[in-house]
Amino acid sequence: MTPPRSDGYVRMPDHEFEAILTRAAEEGARRALSDVGLDGDEAALDIRDLRSLVDCIRLVRRTAMQTAVRMITTGVMLALLAGIAIKLKIFRGSP
């Protein structure tokens, strides 16, 4: 059966068009996942593992930044304390 044409355009019912689009989208998604190696029975587990890995990387990045800020803050505080100790001559040797 040939679809009806109107002014050079193919006309079809909306439900048929939506069914074709849905099928094409599903097939395209399967092909894309297959191309990157995320097809098969364990694909959902692989995606969960990848998300967990990304969460761990974010945690490590955040922890590294916090550690760097703490180290810099500690260094500045030690320098200030050393300056105060020198200024007040606390560590002066005995004569």
Side-chain angles (χ1 to χ4, degrees):
M1 177 174 160
T2 324
R5 293 181 176 262
S6 168
D7 295 328
Y9 296 104
V10 175
R11 308 276 295 160
M12 68 174 61
D14 287 343
H15 68 280
E16 285 184 32
F17 183 67
E18 289 176 7
I20 291 171
L21 285 178
T22 301
R23 197 170 7 153
E26 289 173 356
E27 188 62 32
R30 278 194 201 95
R31 188 177 307 146
L33 289 172
S34 176
D35 288 347
V36 296
L38 291 174
D39 57 342
D41 296 334
E42 296 185 5
L45 180 61
D46 292 340
I47 290 173
R48 276 193 295 273
D49 288 344
L50 287 172
R51 286 183 177 173
S52 175
L53 180 62
V54 168
D55 287 340
C56 289
I57 290 171
R58 289 180 182 143
L59 177 66
V60 166
R61 187 183 309 148
R62 185 172 44 246
T63 304
M65 287 297 290
Q66 289 173 350
T67 302
V69 168
R70 285 182 183 154
M71 289 178 67
I72 291 169
T73 303
T74 303
V76 168
M77 295 299 291
L78 287 174
L80 286 172
L81 286 174
I84 291 170
I86 291 171
K87 188 72 170 173
L88 297 176
K89 299 179 184 178
I90 294 176
F91 298 112
R92 192 169 46 176
S94 55

